[in-house]
Amino acid sequence: MPQPDLTLTPAGPALAPRYSDRRTAVPSSPTAPPASTPAPRNSYLRLFAVPGARAFIVGNLIARLPMGMFGVSAVIMIAAAYDSYALAGGVTATGMAAGALTAPWIARLVDRYGQARIAVPATVYAVLGHLVLLLCVHEKAPVWALFATTALTATSPNTGGMSRARWAHLLKGDRDALHTANAFEQATDELCFMLGPVVAALLCSTLFPEAGTLGGAVLFLTGVLIFAAQRSTEPPVSPVTSAGSPLRVPGMAPILAVFLATGAVFGSMEVVTVAFVDGPVAGPVLALQAAGSCAAGLLYGRAHRTARLRTCLAAMALLMTMPLLAASTGSLPALAAGLLLAGMATAPTMVTGMGLVQRLTPASQLNEGMTLAVTALLGGIAAGSATGGWAADHAPFAAFGFLIPAGAAALALTLCATTRVDGRA
């Protein structure tokens, strides 16, 4: 099997795998436009000039927006029908846990049989699960039925990972372009998780409680169908090998531990911020963290020199103290500014970390490797949410909860330093 080209970076993570495409010949420099057309000077415009890129970008963007909608929609829908936020939280947590268990298996099938062949039926099953859950809530089915049906949504494919795999295929050998593409993907993640809850809350409040889930299901299926239809940019199927799970690759387990701690930063920050603000402006204030990350990711993508993961985590550990200091003043504008600053370390950390995952993962298991990283991240988010909720309920002072994300960031930095999992994207 051909060895991967040394090229790192995306998020969300990077060595680009060298695929052996037996279907279509890929130009050695896909980012280069025809000789008669001058190359765009902006690095992001050069990405959009790649043949077929704009179509799969649009499809993937539509498919990823619901990832920020489903959780909020389910909480609003279930709480409105059963008058219990505890039940709503338990059902959504069950769905997240089920998805974390099945995601690596879905990704393995994608690597083995191709994106379109697996992603479309997997999405159809997941959408049906969301619709069944919607019907159960609407009819006020027994509580056990909600937990059972939410597990049906666990077949959702990792759309972000599939998009990054396409860039790795299209831009192999072009380290700078791949770095820009991975930074763009991370900025897209932040944008979707910033806009998704807003869209969901708007649909549920202006139409009916189930509207967010219904709208998310329609967008998810539509986006995946558009994305999967772009066969010219789909990576070829990798040959079946006897290689075991990417977890056995040296260095993979330590980097996943770092992702677990990093996820705890995000999960705890969301809960403690909502608890601290305790009002309708909590969402917009929290969205500033994603906005800071999105802006930093786009700037990082244009950088000609990238940082080591340890450096990114050190910046995150430092900046995560800003919300703590701001909350200590009791000023809401100060907290908003602190969250904006804290978010600026997120995207560069994720881009660099996912780049290392891509570099470590064999080319034939690229989707599975990146999905394992996402699974670790989701596990950390769940743990951080639970810890942040406990801190919010038992806080000896108002800003106490913000110690949790700061501590989690310090833990991620410590794990990176002690396990010597480091590198430059």
Side-chain angles (χ1 to χ4, degrees):
M1 178 193 305
Q3 295 300 313
D5 292 326
L6 292 178
T7 326
L8 27 128
T9 341
L15 251 148
R18 182 182 293 137
Y19 292 91
S20 176
D21 194 342
R22 297 185 296 273
R23 299 176 302 179
T24 57
V26 180
S28 58
S29 181
T31 57
S36 59
T37 305
R41 303 184 70 176
N42 185 285
S43 55
Y44 290 103
L45 292 180
R46 288 198 294 273
L47 287 182
F48 301 145
V50 175
R54 278 178 282 190
F56 87 73
I57 287 172
V58 171
N60 199 266
L61 180 62
I62 296 172
R64 280 153 85 171
L65 180 63
M67 297 300 102
M69 296 176 60
F70 283 133
V72 173
S73 298
V75 168
I76 295 174
M77 177 176 67
I78 296 171
Y82 292 83
D83 194 26
S84 172
Y85 280 99
L87 173 62
V91 172
T92 54
T94 300
M96 183 181 294
L101 291 174
T102 59
W105 298 99
I106 300 295
R108 179 175 295 184
L109 292 174
V110 168
D111 283 326
R112 182 168 298 180
Y113 299 106
Q115 293 185 355
R117 188 174 177 184
I118 298 301
V120 172
T123 300
V124 170
Y125 290 138
V127 167
L128 288 175
H130 286 291
L131 295 180
V132 172
L133 176 63
L134 183 154
L135 291 174
C136 287
V137 173
H138 183 73
E139 298 299 326
K140 293 189 177 180
V143 168
W144 64 264
L146 305 186
F147 287 95
T149 55
T150 193
L152 299 177
T153 67
T155 61
S156 298
N158 179 10
T159 51
M162 291 192 298
S163 184
R164 290 180 175 96
R166 291 201 180 208
W167 287 121
H169 166 58
L170 294 171
L171 304 175
K172 55 179 177 286
D174 192 337
R175 178 185 179 125
D176 291 339
L178 184 60
H179 170 70
T180 301
N182 285 322
F184 172 76
E185 289 297 321
Q186 182 60 34
T188 300
D189 281 341
E190 301 296 343
L191 179 65
C192 291
F193 279 100
M194 180 171 58
L195 296 179
V198 176
V199 174
L202 182 64
L203 289 174
C204 293
S205 60
T206 58
L207 298 178
F208 46 90
E210 298 87 357
T213 298
L214 181 60
V218 172
L219 288 173
F220 187 32
L221 181 58
T222 301
V224 170
L225 288 175
I226 295 173
F227 178 80
Q230 314 311 313
R231 303 302 292 268
S232 64
T233 56
E234 181 179 351
V237 175
S238 300
V240 178
T241 68
S242 58
S245 170
L247 284 171
R248 299 180 182 179
V249 175
M252 181 63 78
I255 191 68
L256 293 182
V258 172
F259 269 83
L260 189 68
T262 304
V265 176
F266 307 147
S268 58
M269 182 65 78
E270 179 176 341
V271 173
V272 299
T273 300
V274 170
F276 181 87
V277 177
D278 192 24
V281 297
V285 169
L286 189 61
L288 288 174
Q289 183 183 0
S293 180
C294 182
L298 292 174
L299 290 174
Y300 190 60
R302 299 195 65 179
H304 296 294
R305 184 177 179 82
T306 55
R308 290 185 175 276
L309 180 59
R310 188 183 305 182
T311 304
C312 294
L313 288 170
M316 175 179 281
L318 176 63
L319 291 177
M320 283 299 160
T321 63
M322 296 295 103
L324 173 63
L325 297 175
S328 299
T329 68
S331 169
L332 190 58
L335 176 60
L339 288 170
L340 182 68
L341 289 174
M344 291 182 178
T346 301
T349 300
M350 294 303 301
V351 169
T352 306
M354 289 295 284
L356 292 178
V357 172
Q358 282 187 334
R359 187 183 68 182
L360 292 171
T361 305
S364 61
Q365 299 173 302
L366 187 58
N367 282 288
E368 184 179 356
M370 288 192 293
T371 302
L372 284 171
V374 173
T375 298
L377 196 66
L378 290 175
I381 290 174
S385 298
T387 307
W390 178 89
D393 287 342
H394 299 83
F397 53 91
F400 176 77
F402 289 97
L403 288 170
I404 306 300
L411 175 60
L413 174 60
T414 302
L415 288 171
C416 180
T418 55
T419 60
R420 299 182 180 179
V421 175
D422 204 359
R424 190 185 297 276

